[in-house]
Amino acid sequence: RRYPTVEIRAETFNGSTHVPVPSDSAFLKALLFELRLIDDHIFVEHRDTCSRINHSSVYSVRTEGGDLWPVLAFQKSGLIYACIPLVEETLEPRPPLLTVSGLSQGLALLLGIVDYISPSRKNEAEMSAKIGQLRNLLIQACPLGTPLNTNIRSLNSSFDDIQETPADENQPAWRSNTYKGKPQVNVCITEKVKCMQYDKRDVVDMWQVYGAVNCKCDIEGAAPNVTLSLNLPTNGPPLQDIVVHHCVTSVDPAMLMSSSAEPLDDSVYNGPYKFPFIPPSDSFNLCYYTSQVPVPPILGCYQLIEEGSQLKITVNLKLHESIKNSFEYCEARIPFFNRGPIAQLEYKVSYGQLDLSREKSLLVWVIGQKFPKSLEVSLTGTVSFGTAGKEHPTDYVCTGNTAYVKLYFRIPDFTLTGCYVDQHSVQIFAPGKPKITASRELISSDYYIWNSKAPAPTMYKTLFD
């Protein structure tokens, strides 16, 4: 698929260094040559010299108009997946790969196509049918050359309502099909909390909250208008670093100015956060945000001491009183790196149960769906090990007593910021009374509690330095 608008933009950005994309057949022949899939028995200096060893899937393809770069290409299950990302600057000298945002977007789109096609690779007829459908799916996934949805499998596989060009001139490009039926809106706020706890006086514990608001709007019309509001409790920490989806038609500038890089003051915008938008046809993330919450949901202390051939471990966890004590799951995993299998284990838990993994290198403490009334749980034990084998986990960072406990949990119908969607505030300018469903959840992400009896690998200076 070619995007003339993207090619015009490339010519504008690249200026005199621009190399035009040749015809499909000429590009395919040049790409096959570069990948050594044709004429591989002939030595060609610019392609085969030892000084040009490619360590990535980004190639420079020689064409009649010059060297076309960057071309992202790789082989998977007998197929070649390739795209030419847009570079929004001149190409001489070549910019570092990490600065070309189009590369990551192109790779995500290609991997989405791989995920869509790969399950059918053993059935030639099914695979051919899927490849034939790709053009229609790309109209939804990448309508104007910028990937909007890289999960190709999630797109509508019914092609009756997909239009090459919108029938209504007011219909935006991202609404590639129109819905017919009872209107309904589903909204889910997902907050993830990252945490690093050290239980040390000279090292500050760190935690961060990241939120995403996912929407699925099944509404009739070419360009229906929806307004959704996010609300905070009276003393809730304000949302910061807000990034909105391109379908949002307008926002209060004050909403976008709040940055976590600057200290909070009384004038910071604290809602309600209104988002008027014309929704895409499929599920999408309306916005992302961060927030500076005052405390992490679970406070922990981990102590691991080596005594001869044994390790003595103590883990204490406390659920903060402001947190909803109702989990879908909650468990603490205690790995033991660079050691043999656990040969002997003696332990005592105040709550929940302790399991040993199959490879005998990981303790899994299942706390369950609730903390006790005291909101505190503890684990003590001694562990001894057998002879280490190749199958046991190693880690170059966590050596000796440098170790951690990692928490995994999900709390449904709860957010750490208190952020919620008021269903009555959702406005839909379309016929019919819509059914509105709102949900929220808090999920752990990289939630570590480091052994306070050993140096942690990443140290943060105190806030007073």
Side-chain angles (χ1 to χ4, degrees):
R1 183 169 176 83
R2 301 177 75 111
Y3 295 94
T5 52
V6 179
E7 293 186 45
I8 292 170
R9 289 176 66 201
E11 192 172 352
T12 303
F13 281 121
N14 304 156
S16 61
T17 60
H18 176 68
V19 176
V21 180
S23 66
D24 292 355
S25 58
F27 173 73
L28 177 60
K29 185 176 180 181
L31 179 62
L32 293 175
F33 181 80
E34 181 63 32
L35 296 176
R36 297 182 177 87
L37 295 175
I38 57 173
D39 295 337
D40 61 326
H41 58 286
I42 303 171
F43 177 80
V44 181
E45 187 170 352
H46 80 269
R47 180 191 69 177
D48 302 318
T49 177
C50 292
S51 61
R52 192 184 165 209
I53 299 174
N54 205 7
H55 296 289
S56 69
S57 297
V58 180
Y59 297 89
S60 176
V61 175
R62 183 156 292 187
T63 68
E64 284 188 7
D67 289 349
L68 191 61
W69 181 93
V71 176
L72 183 60
F74 57 86
Q75 297 180 66
K76 180 80 173 176
S77 304
L79 294 175
I80 299 170
Y81 298 83
C83 70
I84 306 173
L86 174 67
V87 180
E88 298 181 336
E89 56 186 297
T90 58
L91 299 175
E92 295 294 342
R94 285 182 183 172
L97 294 182
L98 287 176
T99 66
V100 182
S101 60
L103 281 170
S104 56
Q105 293 176 331
L107 181 60
L109 183 63
L110 291 180
L111 292 177
I113 296 173
V114 171
D115 185 51
Y116 168 71
I117 288 179
S118 287
S120 309
R121 64 184 184 275
K122 292 181 180 178
N123 185 326
E124 192 172 333
E126 186 179 332
M127 187 170 73
S128 296
K130 281 195 170 185
I131 292 174
Q133 294 166 359
L134 259 183
R135 178 175 174 80
N136 285 326
L137 292 176
L138 282 173
I139 292 171
Q140 302 175 70
C142 194
L144 295 174
T146 300
L148 305 181
N149 186 351
T150 57
N151 186 358
I152 307 297
R153 282 201 296 175
S154 73
L155 298 176
N156 196 337
S157 58
S158 172
F159 305 108
D160 297 335
D161 54 359
I162 294 176
Q163 305 148 10
E164 282 280 348
T165 56
D168 190 321
E169 62 180 12
N170 295 319
Q171 182 172 332
W174 58 84
R175 276 187 73 80
S176 52
N177 56 357
T178 53
Y179 173 80
K180 292 182 180 180
K182 187 176 179 181
Q184 52 187 2
V185 175
N186 293 300
V187 186
C188 180
I189 302 174
T190 299
E191 285 188 356
K192 293 186 177 182
V193 55
K194 285 188 171 187
C195 195
M196 290 279 177
Q197 295 183 38
Y198 302 99
D199 191 35
K200 290 174 179 279
R201 287 186 178 180
D202 58 337
V203 185
V204 178
D205 293 344
M206 305 292 288
W207 58 92
Q208 297 171 308
V209 178
Y210 303 89
V213 181
N214 185 267
C215 298
K216 178 72 166 70
C217 302
D218 294 327
I219 305 169
E220 291 188 357
N225 286 288
V226 180
T227 299
L228 183 147
S229 294
L230 299 181
N231 297 277
L232 294 174
T234 306
N235 297 320
L239 306 185
Q240 297 176 290
D241 305 323
I242 297 173
V243 178
V244 299
H245 192 275
H246 60 80
C247 72
V248 176
T249 53
S250 65
V251 288
D252 188 327
M255 186 193 304
L256 304 180
M257 294 299 289
S258 179
S259 169
S260 58
E262 300 172 2
L264 289 172
D265 58 46
D266 294 336
S267 65
V268 72
Y269 192 89
N270 58 3
Y273 302 87
K274 281 195 170 186
F275 299 91
F277 60 96
I278 300 173
S281 308
D282 296 292
S283 175
F284 70 103
N285 285 330
L286 177 67
C287 70
Y288 299 92
Y289 62 84
T290 67
S291 185
Q292 299 180 40
V293 296
V295 290
I298 299 175
L299 290 166
C301 171
Y302 178 35
Q303 294 184 348
L304 179 150
I305 303 172
E306 198 160 359
E307 292 186 355
S309 60
Q310 286 187 331
L311 292 182
K312 283 194 171 184
I313 61 170
T314 303
V315 184
N316 294 308
L317 301 175
K318 182 177 181 180
L319 181 69
H320 194 270
E321 58 192 14
S322 66
I323 306 302
K324 181 182 178 183
N325 190 10
S326 179
F327 294 78
E328 181 181 306
Y329 58 85
C330 181
E331 66 182 42
R333 297 184 184 180
I334 311 168
F336 296 97
F337 300 108
N338 311 309
R339 305 176 190 273
I342 295 174
Q344 191 172 358
L345 171 64
E346 295 179 4
Y347 68 92
K348 181 181 179 182
V349 289
S350 66
Y351 195 79
Q353 68 180 58
L354 190 69
D355 297 324
L356 180 60
S357 66
R358 184 182 296 177
E359 71 277 6
K360 296 185 177 180
S361 61
L362 175 72
L363 297 180
V364 180
W365 181 12
V366 180
I367 297 164
Q369 296 180 320
K370 272 186 178 293
F371 274 66
K373 285 186 178 181
S374 65
L375 302 182
E376 296 185 42
V377 294
S378 63
L379 160 68
T380 57
T382 58
V383 186
S384 57
F385 302 89
T387 307
K390 290 182 179 179
E391 70 279 7
H392 291 282
T394 59
D395 194 293
Y396 296 107
V397 175
C398 297
T399 57
N401 289 353
T402 299
Y404 61 77
V405 173
K406 189 173 183 182
L407 299 188
Y408 296 82
F409 57 82
R410 177 181 181 271
I411 306 177
D413 194 28
F414 181 80
T415 51
L416 203 51
T417 60
C419 183
Y420 67 96
V421 173
D422 181 359
Q423 298 183 33
H424 301 292
S425 71
V426 178
Q427 296 177 301
I428 300 175
F429 303 95
K433 187 178 180 181
K435 178 184 177 183
I436 299 168
T437 306
S439 61
R440 53 184 187 162
E441 61 183 356
L442 177 68
I443 301 174
S444 63
S445 171
D446 295 333
Y447 203 106
Y448 292 93
I449 300 167
W450 290 91
N451 177 22
S452 61
K453 298 294 184 182
T458 304
M459 292 293 201
Y460 292 95
K461 291 183 178 180
T462 66
L463 295 175
F464 305 102
D465 284 353

